[in-house]
Amino acid sequence: MRVAAGQFVVTPEWQVNAQTCVRLMQNAAEQGAALLVLPEALLARDDSDPDLSVKSAQSLDGGFMQQLKAQSRQNSLTTVLTIHTPAGEGRANNTLVALRGGEVIAHYHKLHLYDAFSTQESKRVDAGHVLPPLIEVAGFQVGLMTCYDLRFPDMALALALQGAEVLVLPAAWVRGPLKEHHWSTLLAARALDTTCYLVASGECGNRNIGQSRVVDPLGVTLAGAAQQPQLIVGEVSREHLLTVRQQLPVLENRRFALPQLT
């Protein structure tokens, strides 16, 4: 299966960002990708107003998603991204959306909110309470995660134990000391923890690092971006996945049960 990750600088105008997503969807489909991962919180962003994305929240039937749904009807591509959706007065959910055939086939409210490194996502965002579903893409089982979820190995492992073979991660990974190192290390670690492929997309710009990646089950980066807007493409191989899981059967060799997540 061919997979893609697209990164770009999110602007303060949701209409501009929607058109950028549409172009990336077109490009990924033209390159034969079955799966495209886009960054986190794509509605709007402004360096001078950290709450703009929440203030701009739209429903999954809003104008932003309508433009992406229209493009999605043109091909069989599955596109994964996150937007903020309303959750009460002045509050929102950070909602991951999986889109195919012009419809939302799955969605997930981010479980782990980024209350770290002097940032408090929970100030305006409500956390989800349910582990995301798996979706099927071109015969592969795909687990859904969002940004800060990457730092919690039990979540990735829970998805793998449910049958995930590929993990996807829309992100807006904030710059800071050692943050690029954390990003690359954690992507490789989660791949090795679960013997899954990872497809991670990072928003780029002044605030966030970009550095989208496609990582194989042995933690090897198959395709990667730097800090500029870009679409990267990689191949996910079932044969390679099965070989790795035979050689490194960590899912079978576990001795401790994972606490039940609901």
Side-chain angles (χ1 to χ4, degrees), residues 79-225:
T79 302
V80 179
L81 63 141
T82 96
I83 66 171
H84 283 103
T85 56
E89 185 64 32
R91 299 191 65 79
N93 291 118
N94 190 340
T95 303
L96 182 148
V97 179
L99 182 65
R100 183 165 67 217
E103 302 294 336
V104 174
I105 63 169
H107 70 277
Y108 153 67
H109 296 322
K110 186 178 181 182
L111 279 172
H112 300 103
L113 300 183
Y114 184 55
D115 289 356
F117 293 109
S118 301
T119 298
Q120 189 179 9
E121 187 177 9
S122 64
K123 182 180 70 172
R124 300 289 297 271
V125 176
D126 293 336
H129 301 284
V130 179
L131 198 68
L134 302 184
I135 62 172
E136 184 273 331
V137 181
F140 285 85
Q141 293 296 308
V142 178
L144 311 174
M145 301 171 66
T146 300
C147 200
Y148 192 49
D149 288 338
L150 183 64
R151 291 188 181 270
F152 298 88
D154 49 348
M155 180 172 177
L157 182 57
L159 292 169
L161 291 172
Q162 289 187 22
E165 300 162 311
V166 180
L167 300 174
V168 297
L169 187 85
W173 202 261
V174 180
R175 295 181 184 278
L178 297 177
K179 292 296 293 299
E180 290 87 349
H181 172 67
H182 293 179
W183 172 252
S184 60
T185 300
L186 289 164
L187 288 173
R190 295 297 82 80
L192 287 163
D193 290 343
T194 62
T195 53
C196 285
Y197 284 91
L198 261 76
V199 186
S201 173
E203 198 249 347
C204 51
N206 293 328
R207 180 175 180 269
N208 298 319
I209 68 170
Q211 298 192 26
S212 299
R213 295 282 186 271
V214 178
V215 181
D216 89 344
L218 289 175
V220 176
T221 296
L222 303 179

Side-chain angles (χ1 to χ4, degrees), residues 4-109:
Q7 64 181 43
F8 64 98
V9 180
V10 177
T11 77
E13 303 294 332
W14 71 260
Q15 296 91 339
V16 173
N17 302 324
Q19 284 304 301
T20 300
C21 292
V22 165
R23 288 194 295 272
L24 286 166
M25 292 167 72
Q26 292 172 330
N27 195 347
E30 288 169 358
Q31 295 192 49
L35 174 66
L36 169 66
V37 184
L38 295 174
E40 177 188 23
L42 294 182
L43 278 172
R45 197 183 310 283
D46 189 332
D47 292 344
S48 64
D49 184 359
D51 295 327
L52 180 62
S53 190
V54 172
K55 293 175 184 176
S56 303
Q58 293 186 19
S59 75
L60 297 184
D61 293 322
F64 181 91
M65 285 302 302
Q66 290 299 334
Q67 292 194 35
L68 273 62
K69 288 178 181 179
Q71 175 59 34
S72 176
R73 296 186 188 102
Q74 306 304 310
N75 51 62
S76 60
L77 180 70
T78 300
T79 302
V80 179
L81 63 141
T82 96
I83 66 171
H84 283 103
T85 56
E89 185 64 32
R91 299 191 65 79
N93 291 118
N94 190 340
T95 303
L96 182 148
V97 179
L99 182 65
R100 183 165 67 217
E103 302 294 336
V104 174
I105 63 169
H107 70 277
Y108 153 67
H109 296 322

